[in-house]
Amino acid sequence: GVLAYKTPAFKDIYAVGALVSAKDDNGKSTDATLARLIYKKDKVLLGAGITNTNKSAVSTTATKDYVRTALAANYSADKWQLGTTYENNKDHPTGDFTVLGVAGAYKVTPKATAKLGYFKKDHDVNTLNNKAIISNVSYALGNSPKQGKSAKLYIENEKHDIKANNKTTIGLALKF
């Protein structure tokens, strides 16, 4: 379960805090805590966050809690959107690593959207380093945003340095 709170915005800045309970078998009532600070005005969104995950929720062999810090920026215009994220992952059971991602989206028509992203993971363990290019094309079948309902078809392709992670996905996403 998740218990989260979002503060009211003050001068376009708000905070989010949450407690997460993901595992029932580790004897902990809270497996992760997170805090985020977000600035959102007009077409710009900036964010910073920290997540602390209890070692017993990550792995039976973990010796420390796992801490993830992240910074994000996003700019939206009429038909396109551009964003970037930087993560620092400390004390993960597989080792420390950072991730940098840059992605964009372009609304080709009112119903069709194309997305492209590049992600790079720099890991303490060199065999876990990874780069990926992810592309996605989607087509909205129906939409009722005021009611929170939508349906879209999509195809997504991922190409990774670690070949076992390569995949193509075709799907139907429903929101209701």
Side-chain angles (χ1 to χ4, degrees):
V2 176
L3 175 64
Y5 176 74
K6 176 185 168 194
T7 67
F10 178 73
K11 297 202 183 259
D12 305 312
I13 298 172
Y14 62 92
V16 177
L19 304 172
V20 179
S21 179
K23 292 186 77 173
D24 293 331
D25 62 351
N26 65 354
K28 302 286 182 186
S29 58
T30 302
D31 297 316
T33 56
L34 66 93
R36 293 197 171 101
L37 189 62
I38 299 165
Y39 169 83
K40 184 176 181 182
K41 184 172 183 175
D42 301 325
K43 299 176 180 187
V44 175
L45 184 138
L46 304 171
I50 185 166
T51 302
N52 187 323
T53 304
N54 187 287
K55 63 185 174 190
S56 63
V58 177
S59 164
T60 56
T61 60
T63 59
K64 294 181 179 180
D65 290 352
Y66 162 47
V67 179
R68 176 186 171 267
T69 54
L71 298 172
N74 183 312
Y75 183 83
S76 298
D78 294 332
K79 290 188 173 192
W80 58 273
Q81 189 176 52
L82 185 62
T84 186
T85 300
Y86 174 79
E87 292 181 15
N88 183 19
N89 298 271
K90 187 166 173 35
D91 298 323
H92 190 274
T94 64
D96 296 347
F97 61 94
T98 58
V99 178
L100 176 64
V102 178
Y106 181 74
K107 201 168 211 39
V108 181
T109 71
K111 292 189 172 207
T113 303
K115 299 175 184 174
L116 184 64
Y118 171 80
F119 303 89
K120 180 182 177 190
K121 179 179 183 181
D122 184 15
H123 202 288
D124 282 350
V125 179
N126 288 339
T127 58
L128 296 177
N129 287 342
N130 193 20
K131 293 178 191 166
I133 295 176
I134 300 173
S135 57
N136 176 301
V137 176
S138 63
Y139 184 81
L141 299 173
N143 211 345
S144 181
K146 288 183 180 178
Q147 296 177 345
K149 299 176 184 177
S150 67
K152 68 178 176 179
L153 287 171
Y154 68 91
I155 183 167
E156 184 167 283
N157 183 265
E158 297 185 25
K159 294 290 182 197
H160 294 261
D161 280 352
I162 300 174
K163 302 294 184 210
N165 294 345
N166 288 347
K167 66 181 174 182
T168 298
T169 307
I170 300 172
L172 174 64
L174 302 171
K175 264 189 188 176
F176 51 93

